[in-house]
């Protein structure tokens, strides 16, 4: 069983409260409730987040690449320390760059270049140990990519932030 990634929109007010809870930013007054109504924008790419991150960045493991839009798309802009699960967020100021990077990314070419040796060396989950494994997972990666691109377009349109949980 591997770790699964879930992406969800989060309003400015609720992000501010989250930051306050984890000591990232303590400017949110105690007891203030957010009245912001968040549209329900959710993406679940399951266990393929690490492999998709590898396709985007060439990095395996739980490495974050907050400086790069494609890395941010998968692993977020900021890691929240002190959470019982891997928790990250990305502010809405980064969404235009993420959407542009996703729209410019040539997934078909990247999947053609994805090779077995690189996947084994990076020790990616799910465990890819044969060319058959790799060939079988490429269509799923294409589907994840398409879903992620659609998700971030909706996030940009809604002018909201993203919270990512990997557990």
């Amino acid at each position: 069983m591997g770790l699964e990634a879930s992406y969800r929109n989060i309003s400015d007010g609720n992000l501010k409260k989250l930051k306050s809870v984890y000591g990232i930013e303590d400017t949110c007054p105690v007891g203030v409730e957010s009245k912001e109504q968040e549209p329900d924008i959710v993406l679940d790419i399951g266990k393929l987040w690490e492999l998709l991150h590898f396709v985007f960045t060439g990095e395996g493991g739980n490495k974050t690449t907050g400086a790069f839009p494609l890395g941010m798309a998968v692993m977020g802009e900021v890691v929240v320390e002190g959470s019982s699960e891997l928790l990250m967020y990305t502010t809405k100021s980064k969404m235009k760059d993420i959407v542009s990077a996703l729209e410019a990314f040539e997934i078909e070419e990247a999947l053609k270049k994805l090779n077995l040796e690189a996947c084994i060396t990076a020790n990616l989950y799910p465990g890819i140990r044969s060319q058959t494994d790799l060939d079988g997972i490429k269509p799923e990666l294409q589907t994840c990519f398409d879903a992620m691109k659609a998700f971030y377009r909706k996030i940009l349109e809604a002018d909201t932030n993203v919270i990512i949980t990997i557990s």
Side-chain angles (χ1 to χ4, degrees), residues 104-118:
F105 190 73
E106 297 290 337
I107 189 70
E108 294 85 7
E109 288 302 312
L111 292 177
K112 285 178 189 174
K113 293 177 185 175
L114 184 63
N115 67 65
L116 181 61
E117 295 78 29

Side-chain angles (χ1 to χ4, degrees), residues 7-142:
Y7 303 75
R8 176 176 286 283
N9 61 305
I10 185 169
S11 68
D12 291 340
N14 287 333
L15 181 58
K16 189 174 185 177
K17 285 174 23 178
L18 175 87
K19 288 177 180 181
S20 177
V21 166
Y22 287 99
I24 297 170
E25 183 178 288
D26 61 357
T27 59
C28 182
V30 177
V32 172
E33 292 296 320
S34 174
K35 302 261 190 262
E36 297 177 63
Q37 188 70 357
E38 295 180 24
D40 192 22
I41 307 172
V42 178
L43 171 66
D44 181 4
I45 61 170
K47 299 172 183 175
L48 293 179
W49 64 271
E50 186 178 24
L51 189 52
L52 190 58
H53 186 263
F54 183 75
V55 168
F56 286 164
T57 68
E59 293 182 351
N62 292 337
K63 294 183 181 178
T64 59
T65 53
F68 304 104
L70 290 171
M72 259 188 271
V74 179
M75 295 294 296
E77 174 186 7
V78 176
V79 176
V80 177
E81 300 294 333
S83 174
S84 61
E85 58 194 355
L86 189 52
L87 181 65
M88 292 86 54
Y89 66 85
T90 305
T91 58
K92 64 184 175 183
S93 67
K94 304 292 185 187
M95 295 308 148
K96 186 175 181 183
D97 291 339
I98 291 172
V99 169
S100 293
L102 288 168
E103 289 182 349
F105 190 73
E106 297 290 337
I107 189 70
E108 294 85 7
E109 288 302 312
L111 292 177
K112 285 178 189 174
K113 293 177 185 175
L114 184 63
N115 67 65
L116 181 61
E117 295 78 29
C119 292
I120 291 172
T121 300
N123 196 28
L124 302 170
Y125 186 89
I128 298 170
R129 300 292 171 237
S130 70
Q131 191 61 45
T132 303
D133 291 342
L134 184 59
D135 291 342
I137 210 158
K138 286 181 178 181
E140 292 178 60
L141 283 171
Q142 175 73 53

